[in-house]
Amino acid sequence: MHLARFPRVFLAHLPTPLERLDRLSAALGGPEIWIKRDDCTGMSTGGNKTRKLEFLMAEALAEGADMVMTQGATQSNHARQTAAFAAKLGLACQVLLEDRTGYQDPDYTQNGNVLLDHLHGATTELHPGGNDMVAAMTAAAEAERAKGRRVYVIPGGGSNPTGALGYVNCALELLAQVNDRGLVIDRLVTATGSSGTQAGLVAGMCALNAGIPVLGIGTRAPKEKQEQMVYDLACKTAEKLGCPGVVRREDVVADTGYVGAGYGLPREDTLEAIRMFAELEGILLDPVYSGKGAAGLIDWCRSGRFKQGERVVFLHTGGSVGLFAYKGALARG
Ligand SMILES: *Cc1c(COP(=O)(O)O)cnc(C)c1O
């Protein structure tokens, strides 16, 4: 596996730190918990989409694009990081934002990621929840091409085999860090949504024969659908890497028990996880992804599914800018 063979723009701050969470580990009384700080990837407050965009934006440049287009939820971290890359690389950027929560709060509709999309010079187009966003983006791209734009379309979350290479790179990076420090890792835990993060990690870990199981904590889809999405993309990513067949179906595991009422709607345990990380470790999570991922991590510790003597790494996928869109939910009552 030789990632340097794929075009890439080197804009992320890498390697991201790997840190031990002493106070959280002590509070939970179970495994030794470590955190991989992909909230510190650098582009416009960072997050997991930055690793994917290093490969996606290189492809856009190679194809001669002068505009990138993508889609996501109103408070999409992916849209914000795409807008920042486009600004840095001198490309126009349009993002289609879907209202998946129904929140009318001006903090939700205008603050957080939306504020930063606009600061980076992107144009945003709002769509009602449940719209066919793939069809909407195809139509929007055609309209721009009719005006003479050379549009590169990035799927939601940057989740295709090119974007997933960013998380193959993360698997390589993490493995080098733990090997250098003599740390045996029993499990890697990440929030999973559009699936590129978990798929890239699984493809990378399998290709490296690392023997480190990856647990995805769902943020939207039910278990069967989530695992199938991750598995399909992990297989395609392994093929792209030149090692088809290394991912087995049982390598893909998602626990979708922490989603609650739906995407972008935090539960009580999401808010508790955000407070625990903030108060015990000085680390900011987010209400849509990393807060739910951490709620899963905490519950797996408390219920004894992660045991004393084990070492667990939580991948912090970023998103803390979204906190400013959820002032109401986070205010202490
Ligand atoms: C997009 C996102 C995720 C989910 O990653 P996928 O690759 O879409 O599964 C997790 N955390 C944050 C903060 C995100 O923005």
Side-chain angles (χ1 to χ4, degrees):
M1 179 165 71
H2 195 359
L3 272 187
R5 293 207 174 97
F6 299 96
R8 175 171 167 197
V9 287
F10 287 82
L11 287 176
H13 296 180
L14 303 180
T16 57
L18 176 68
E19 299 166 342
R20 205 170 65 186
L21 300 182
D22 289 330
R23 276 167 50 78
L24 182 71
S25 301
L28 293 170
E32 188 180 295
I33 303 169
W34 289 67
I35 194 164
K36 174 72 172 152
R37 298 292 304 270
D38 271 18
D39 56 321
C40 300
T41 52
M43 288 299 282
S44 186
T45 75
N48 63 337
K49 304 314 180 304
T50 288
R51 286 188 192 267
K52 301 178 184 183
L53 286 162
E54 285 198 321
F55 291 93
L56 291 161
M57 295 301 272
E59 204 170 86
L61 294 178
E63 290 180 12
D66 59 13
M67 178 180 213
V68 291
M69 194 176 282
T70 195
Q71 54 106 352
T74 305
Q75 281 294 332
S76 167
N77 301 300
H78 167 64
R80 180 245 314 158
Q81 287 161 87
T82 303
F85 268 83
K88 175 73 180 168
L89 298 172
L91 307 179
C93 178
Q94 183 173 341
V95 294
L96 279 62
L97 302 179
E98 179 193 6
D99 173 18
R100 290 186 202 155
T101 64
Y103 286 166
Q104 299 301 319
D105 180 351
D107 278 326
Y108 188 79
T109 57
Q110 293 160 35
N111 205 342
N113 284 291
V114 181
L115 181 103
L116 299 187
D117 293 342
H118 294 148
L119 261 184
H120 291 304
T123 55
T124 55
E125 190 179 289
L126 299 179
H127 289 258
N131 238 21
D132 183 341
M133 295 298 285
V134 174
M137 192 155 66
T138 305
E142 278 319 308
E144 290 299 324
R145 286 181 185 124
K147 292 186 232 163
R149 285 282 197 193
R150 295 188 303 277
V151 184
Y152 179 82
V153 172
I154 300 173
S159 285
N160 61 17
T162 301
L165 291 177
Y167 272 86
V168 173
N169 185 39
C170 182
L172 274 169
E173 183 181 298
L174 177 62
L175 212 58
Q177 284 173 317
V178 296
N179 286 339
D180 285 350
R181 289 150 83 167
L183 294 172
V184 174
I185 297 302
D186 296 297
R187 188 90 70 146
L188 175 59
V189 180
T190 179
T192 181
S194 69
S195 82
T197 300
Q198 190 178 356
L201 289 172
V202 168
M205 291 300 183
C206 288
L208 295 163
N209 195 24
I212 299 176
V214 181
L215 171 66
I217 305 291
T219 55
R220 189 179 189 188
K223 181 178 173 73
E224 219 167 288
K225 181 177 177 196
Q226 187 67 36
E227 290 186 345
Q228 195 61 44
M229 275 173 21
V230 173
Y231 177 63
D232 289 346
L233 183 52
C235 290
K236 285 184 197 149
T237 306
E239 249 171 69
K240 191 175 176 83
L241 288 171
C243 35
V246 291
V247 178
R248 298 162 308 167
R249 178 60 186 81
E250 60 265 35
D251 294 322
V252 176
V253 180
D255 183 345
T256 58
Y258 306 90
V259 177
Y263 175 88
L265 305 173
R267 304 203 306 183
E268 203 41 59
D269 60 351
T270 320
L271 302 176
E272 186 202 8
I274 291 172
R275 292 196 177 107
M276 282 183 80
F277 273 67
E279 291 177 7
L280 293 171
E281 299 289 350
I283 289 174
L284 299 175
L285 301 177
D286 84 285
V288 181
Y289 294 101
S290 54
K292 286 186 178 174
L297 170 83
I298 291 165
D299 188 49
W300 275 58
C301 292
R302 285 179 175 156
S303 63
R305 279 171 285 176
F306 291 148
K307 295 178 188 59
Q308 212 152 10
E310 289 185 344
R311 191 176 284 126
V312 176
V313 175
F314 178 67
L315 176 73
H316 190 337
T317 46
S320 63
V321 161
L323 289 170
F324 301 103
Y326 283 80
K327 192 175 71 184
L330 286 158
R332 277 178 200 274

